[in-house]
Every structure is written in structure tokens, then in C-alpha cells.
Amino acid sequence: MVSIVRWTVIPYKKLFLAYRLRRNLRRNLFKQLGVRRFMDNQPTGHHNHAGFLSPLKNLYERHYAALLFITIMMTVLAFAQIGYQYYTTGDFIHRGVSLKGGVIITVPDAVVDQDALESDLRVAFHNSDLQVRTIQATKGVSIEAADVSADELVAKVSSRLGGLEKDQYSVEVIGSSLGKSFFKELFFSIGLAYVLMGIVVLLFYRTIVPSAAVITCAFCDMICTVAVYNLTGRTMSSAGIAALLMLIGYSVDTDMLLTSRVLRRKEGTVMDRVYSAFSTGTTQTMAAIAAVTVALFVTHSDVIREVMTVLLIGLFIDFPMTWIQNAAMIRKYMEGRTHEHKN
């Protein structure tokens, strides 16, 4: 009876052990060839898509130092625009009344054609920096003008609106010295925020090159944003300065995402870590651009529209600054450190 049991069980046991051995061998083989197996199972369109992107990928991986020319030229052109702006106007931005000084007349309840009113006022005060804004909450209008007296502006607006009583409007006069002082304080706050940000980044990484890469990219992002905003011809108020402060924080966020992932992670190659950070950072940037774009077109507030315009410009500029300039500097640093370890 025992011999019969052995004769029936042992062959099945051998078959089971052979099956487990074969399964383990297949698992190890697929782990080593996992990427190739995945690519072989992809449809034909996937290969065409990879072939389409392969030249860009090859350029990004092999000629990253040459791509730095793009961001360097962007920064040089930005400095040139700001320099030309300062040479021709005496200011490196188009300062609004809140930063320059002037007169603000607010008519809370006035049904008027904004474009026609602004056109008439520009004809009357052609040497004045003037802007007309609508007040959506009260269906009124606000007129901001620099280099013009309050009495002259009130008289012109009153005649254009068919006569205004004193209780139908309000006048706010900002002196030029007060506007300049406020402007200096705002840019001092930007400089202080930038210095403190640099100190925090340096303490976080405790290494000069990665810290310098993050700080440089944030600075270039802000300079290019100011230059592009100048090209729009719009004036910048204190809200625009606040948007620049927000932009510094966002730029540092994406730069530190890339730098931390390349320096701190050990698995994969440097390019694997760059692509991993790129996936996360691009998703973050696209979501921010979508939110800012919606807010820009939905809002009726000129202040919010100014903030969103500055942020939208900065978000687009932050993309090459982070994934071309910062990535190239970090890759060069990692290659130098790898070469030192080999020696």
C-alpha cells in the first residue's frame, strides 16, 4: 500500500516543484526585461509617439549645456528691456498712481462708457498717466491720473458725466513723495524676501552650487516677468508687486522640487530623477496655469486681473528656467561629483 502511495504522489510532487521553479525563473527574467516586455506589448502608435519625441529627448539629455543659451538670452533681453525702460521713462516699470502719486476720483454710481470716458480724458490731459476702471460692485467708475491737479480732473469728469455734486464722488490725492516712499518700501520687501529665501535654501542644501542654482533661477524668473509685463504697456500697482512676491515663492517651489529629487534620491540615474521631478512639476504648473487663466477671464476686478496677469507670465517663464537652466546646473554638479568619487 505504501509503495502505491509513493508511486502516485511523488511524480505529482516533482511536477509541483518543477512548476514553482519555472515560475520563479520567469519572474526573475521579467524583472530584468520588464521595460522591454512593456514596450513590446504597446500598440504601434506608441512607437510612433516615442519616435517623434526621441529627437527632443536626445537634445535635452545630450546637449543640455547648449540649451542654457535659451535662458541666458531670455535674461539678457530682459535686462535690455528694463534698461531701455529706465533710460526712456526714468522707471524700470510703468508705475501706477499708488506707486507714483496722483489723483484718484471715485464715482460710486455712474452709468458711463469706460472707453469713451478714458479717450476724452486722454485728449484733455495728454501728458498725464491716466487710467479709468469700472467698479462692478456699485456699477461706478474710478479714474486714476498722475501729473494732473485734482481740481482740473474733477472739473473735466464732472462735465463729462453731466455735472456731479460733492456727495456723488470722492477724491483721494496721493503725494509724489508718499508714492515714491511706498514704492521703495515695497521693493525693499522684495529684496529682503529674496535674501531670506536665499539663506533658507543655503541652509537647507548646505552646498553652494545647488543653492546658487535655485536662487539664480528665481531671480531670472522675476526679471523676465517684469520685462514681459513692461511690454504689455500696463501700469503696475502695489498688487503687481505682491504678485512678484508670490512668484518668487512659486519659482523656488519648483526649483527645490527638482533639486531635492536629484540630490536626495538614490535610485535610478540622474536623468530618471529629473524626469520624475518633471512629471510632478509639470502637473503642478499646468494646474496653476489653468486656475490663473480661469481667474483672469472670470474676474471683474482690475486688481485681481493685474495679479493674475503677472502670475501667468511668471508661470510660463518659470518652465524653461526650471527645466532647462536649473536642471542643467544640477546635472553638471552631479557629473562633477561623480567624477570626483571615481578619482
Side-chain angles (χ1 to χ4, degrees), residues 74-75 78-79 82 218-228 317:
M74 287 174 60
T75 306
F79 273 111
I82 294 174
F219 177 75
C220 294
D221 190 7
M222 184 175 63
I223 292 297
C224 293
T225 300
V226 171
V228 174
I317 292 176

Side-chain angles (χ1 to χ4, degrees), residues 144-156:
E144 300 180 0
D147 303 322
V148 63
S149 68
D151 294 337
E152 292 177 347
L153 184 60
V154 169
K156 183 63 179 178

Side-chain angles (χ1 to χ4, degrees), residues 95 99 175-186:
R95 288 192 292 168
L99 300 178
S176 59
S177 59
L178 180 61
K180 290 180 181 179
S181 176
F182 188 45
F183 178 70
K184 289 180 181 179
E185 289 179 359
L186 284 174

Side-chain angles (χ1 to χ4, degrees), residues 161-198:
L161 298 181
L164 294 174
E165 300 294 334
K166 289 187 177 181
D167 60 345
Q168 293 180 322
Y169 65 91
S170 63
V171 180
E172 180 182 359
V173 179
I174 302 175
S176 59
S177 59
L178 180 61
K180 290 180 181 179
S181 176
F182 188 45
F183 178 70
K184 289 180 181 179
E185 289 179 359
L186 284 174
F187 267 88
F188 175 77
S189 64
I190 288 182
L192 181 61
Y194 190 81
V195 170
L196 293 177
M197 175 270 295

Side-chain angles (χ1 to χ4, degrees), residues 239 292 295-296 299-311:
V292 169
L296 181 63
T299 185
H300 297 290
S301 171
D302 292 324
V303 174
I304 297 178
R305 189 176 290 113
E306 178 182 343
V307 172
M308 295 305 161
T309 301
V310 173
L311 289 178

